[in-house]
Amino acid sequence: MHIDILTLFPSMFDGPLTESILKRAQENGLLTIHLHNIRDYATDKHHTVDDTPYGGGGGMVMMVEPLTVAVEDVRGPDAGIPVILLTPQGRVFTQQVAQELAQYPRLVLVCGRYEGVDERVRRSAITDEISIGDYVLTGGELPAMVIVDAISRLIPGVLGARWAAEEDSHAMGLLEYPHYTRPPVFRDMVVPDVLQSGDHGAVDAWRRREAIRRTWYRRPDLLVTADLSDGERWYLADLAETDAPVPA
Ligand code: ADE
């Protein structure tokens, strides 16, 4: 996958893109990321990219021309490539949206700054708008990093062969089951017997039940759309009858 990122602050991306899994994905040729400074597309000698809003009011607005020309130059002639503006006004980013975007061979991410971008950029150069949650950040750079991270780990080969991204929290519409590793006892906390039993069927059943229980306790809203069998719905009904839920 190739991702172009348009930003006024390319150096903000240095750490997150050059460490760990994203670093390896780029070294292995599974992911390429190009950063483009929007200021390079300014047309005056001061490299101006923002201006005061028509109608007055506080803050500055990102100008239509530098941003539009930057998008056109970076995207090229292929109108099928998604050009995504990061903005608190966009559709909310979820694991489903990450899966959707991971299917594209190319993406262009546009990081908004200041109070917003000139509306004509939206109308002519942007194909999608995404928010990473109902709060306002100082710009789209951190949201772009979140999106790149979430998408990259879904690209086949980016995570190790033994990693099943399908088992992630949210991928199955449920939160993930609890994890344990050695030692079997720490202070007086023990690893559940079933996980040490070697019985893979029993382990799978336990994990599925714990995923449902944890989701019911922490994020019951997810259960409305989760894909559960009849037996699992009965299990859920039993949980819901418990007066004092056991923390999961
Ligand atoms: N820019 C500022 N806040 C944002 C948010 N929550 N999501 C995406 N882009 C943003």
Side-chain angles (χ1 to χ4, degrees), residues 85-90 112-113 130-144 147:
L85 176 69
L86 287 319
T87 161
Q89 299 181 13
R113 276 267 149 181
I130 290 182
S131 162
I132 61 160
D134 290 339
Y135 42 83
V136 181
L137 301 164
T138 54
E141 282 76 11
L142 289 170
I147 288 172

Side-chain angles (χ1 to χ4, degrees), residues 21-156:
I21 292 171
L22 295 191
K23 177 184 179 192
R24 213 177 49 231
Q26 292 172 88
E27 285 169 356
N28 294 342
L30 297 168
L31 176 67
T32 49
I33 299 172
H34 285 174
L35 291 158
H36 307 270
N37 194 334
I38 297 165
R39 205 170 286 284
D40 293 342
Y41 293 89
T43 51
D44 66 337
K45 70 171 192 278
H46 301 294
H47 303 288
T48 311
V49 288
D50 61 321
D51 206 344
T52 52
Y54 276 116
M60 300 292 274
V61 175
M62 287 176 82
M63 293 161 63
V64 62
E65 187 170 1
L67 205 43
T68 304
V69 174
V71 169
E72 287 168 354
D73 183 45
V74 167
R75 192 199 65 180
D78 183 351
I81 298 168
V83 180
I84 303 166
L85 176 69
L86 287 319
T87 161
Q89 299 181 13
R91 61 183 174 129
V92 176
F93 190 63
T94 61
Q95 190 65 23
Q96 277 66 41
V97 177
Q99 277 155 2
E100 172 198 322
L101 298 180
Q103 308 306 315
Y104 287 96
R106 269 196 73 187
L107 294 174
V108 178
L109 303 182
V110 181
C111 304
R113 276 267 149 181
Y114 309 110
E115 293 307 295
V117 307
D118 188 301
E119 191 63 22
R120 292 165 292 185
V121 178
R122 288 199 151 104
R123 290 221 308 259
S124 64
I126 300 296
T127 65
D128 195 0
E129 301 187 22
I130 290 182
S131 162
I132 61 160
D134 290 339
Y135 42 83
V136 181
L137 301 164
T138 54
E141 282 76 11
L142 289 170
M145 292 178 214
V146 167
I147 288 172
V148 168
D149 191 289
I151 292 173
S152 301
R153 59 192 294 291
L154 299 176
I155 299 170

Side-chain angles (χ1 to χ4, degrees), residues 181-195:
T181 186
R182 274 179 284 269
V185 182
F186 176 68
R187 309 229 163 120
D188 57 357
M189 295 176 286
V190 296
V191 174
D193 285 341
V194 60
L195 297 180

